[in-house]
Amino acid sequence: MIKKILVAVAGRGLCEEMLNMLLDIPAIQQASVTVLHVVPQQIVADDMAAKLEEGGKILAEAVKSLNIAPEKVNPRLKQGDAKTIVCEVAEEEDVDLIIMGSRALGRLQAILEGSVSQYVFQLASRPMLLVKDDVYVKKIKRVMVAMDKSKSARQCLDLALFLLREVKGGQLFLVRANPDKGITSEQDDPVLSEAVAEAKKYGVDYRCILQEGKPGEVICNLVEENNIDLLTIGSPDRRPSIAKSLVDLDRLLGNSLSDYVRVYANCPVLISRTSD
């Protein structure tokens, strides 16, 4: 399911560390990796040359830090606007996962400051793993999936099972915030019961959690309480096709669950988007 990975590096080392944790997972070890560093355009030629030299060093250090065979790594140094370059390279390489760092800015601040990860999050059609500057990257054993009736949540479940099914001691946390009225256990909820059946099929240890409250706060609190290593959450794409090339300001300024979680969850967040 994850055969090609794009890692956008910026010299901080977090994305490289996250990738190394992923590469410990048997299902990921055969993946090829594109390591991308983008250098912003400079007006003066000498400045551009200096930036490219600096960028080349950042890229070389990033590749050197990875626990992967050299033949599986494709280093790419590009110049231009990082927001658009990451999306373009993801399409060119036809990757299955994008890994990026995130300053975890709020919605409006992200717009005003031109956040690269926020832009890519809005426009990329591929699963995206965001690593905040202030989170501790750990070995991936405890994975939480925010479950609902959407196709994107099901894709998140598939990704989590893909990662965990060969991980010794791995555990899947299936979270249902505000389940339908009258549902008090996983047996009562078709969403959870289907997810449980999938977990059993792959022999993955699981735990179901049903909880009332504001979904974003519920999920982030449960991440903290259960010492989760990776959270996966769906983000259905409701934009009309004519707006695919535009940043979705309504989503940015509205009550997007995935946007809330990417800012406040205390662990790396893997977001999957489908055309629900």
Side-chain angles (χ1 to χ4, degrees):
M1 184 178 286
I2 299 178
K3 296 180 179 179
K4 297 180 181 180
I5 300 173
L6 171 63
V7 186
V9 299
R12 296 193 293 272
L14 280 173
C15 291
E16 298 92 304
E17 192 176 350
M18 184 75 249
L19 177 60
N20 281 332
M21 294 302 177
L22 282 175
L23 290 170
D24 274 347
I25 297 172
I28 299 292
Q29 288 170 0
Q30 299 306 311
S32 61
V33 177
T34 296
V35 182
L36 171 68
H37 179 68
V38 183
V39 177
Q41 289 281 9
Q42 305 294 313
I43 296 175
V44 180
D46 287 347
D47 291 345
M48 191 70 248
K51 284 291 184 182
L52 285 170
E53 182 180 359
E54 179 187 352
K57 291 177 181 178
I58 290 172
L59 188 60
E61 285 298 316
V63 171
K64 185 179 177 182
S65 71
L66 299 179
N67 301 326
I68 188 172
E71 62 270 18
K72 291 184 179 178
V73 181
N74 175 26
R76 296 192 64 175
L77 181 65
K78 303 273 285 183
Q79 58 189 71
D81 186 345
K83 295 192 294 293
T84 56
I85 295 290
V86 172
C87 292
E88 288 171 3
V89 172
E91 292 297 320
E92 287 172 15
E93 301 283 350
D94 192 22
V95 301
D96 305 304
L97 177 67
I98 301 169
I99 302 177
M100 289 192 70
S102 170
R103 291 176 292 163
L105 303 176
R107 300 179 187 92
L108 183 57
Q109 188 181 4
I111 297 170
L112 296 176
E113 295 192 17
S115 166
V116 175
S117 63
Q118 180 67 33
Y119 183 98
V120 176
F121 163 59
Q122 287 299 314
L123 296 185
S125 59
R126 302 158 194 277
M128 183 173 179
L129 178 48
L130 292 170
V131 188
K132 289 194 301 181
D133 289 349
D134 60 350
V135 304
Y136 177 61
V137 178
K138 300 175 287 184
K139 285 188 178 296
I140 298 172
K141 287 184 176 291
R142 300 161 73 86
V143 178
M144 179 176 287
V145 182
M147 295 299 303
D148 57 30
K149 299 175 182 177
S150 67
K151 287 196 298 185
S152 54
R154 175 55 197 252
Q155 187 175 56
C156 286
L157 174 64
D158 291 342
L159 285 167
L161 290 172
F162 171 79
L163 295 173
L164 285 176
R165 60 193 179 194
E166 296 180 67
V167 174
K168 187 176 180 180
Q171 189 173 24
L172 177 68
F173 289 74
L174 301 166
V175 173
R176 191 87 154 94
N178 297 327
D180 295 340
K181 188 175 180 180
I183 292 177
T184 58
S185 71
E186 70 221 47
Q187 290 83 8
D188 302 327
D189 187 348
V191 171
L192 285 183
S193 59
E194 182 181 347
V196 166
E198 288 295 302
K200 288 180 177 178
K201 183 167 73 175
Y202 291 106
V204 174
D205 185 29
Y206 68 90
R207 178 184 169 193
C208 293
I209 304 174
L210 294 88
Q211 191 163 315
E212 298 287 342
K214 293 182 178 179
E217 293 179 8
V218 166
I219 292 167
C220 291
N221 289 339
L222 289 172
V223 164
E224 192 83 26
E225 291 169 12
N226 293 282
N227 195 25
I228 297 300
D229 305 319
L230 177 67
L231 169 65
T232 69
I233 187 167
S235 178
D237 187 355
R238 299 186 179 91
R239 293 169 293 173
S241 58
I242 195 172
K244 295 292 184 184
S245 62
L246 305 174
V247 173
D248 188 348
L249 295 181
D250 288 339
R251 180 182 293 278
L252 287 172
L253 297 174
N255 295 316
S256 165
L257 175 58
S258 55
D259 196 75
Y260 181 95
V261 166
R262 72 161 183 90
V263 173
Y264 295 108
N266 189 29
C267 72
V269 179
L270 197 164
I271 302 171
S272 177
R273 171 165 285 162
T274 61
S275 55
D276 283 10

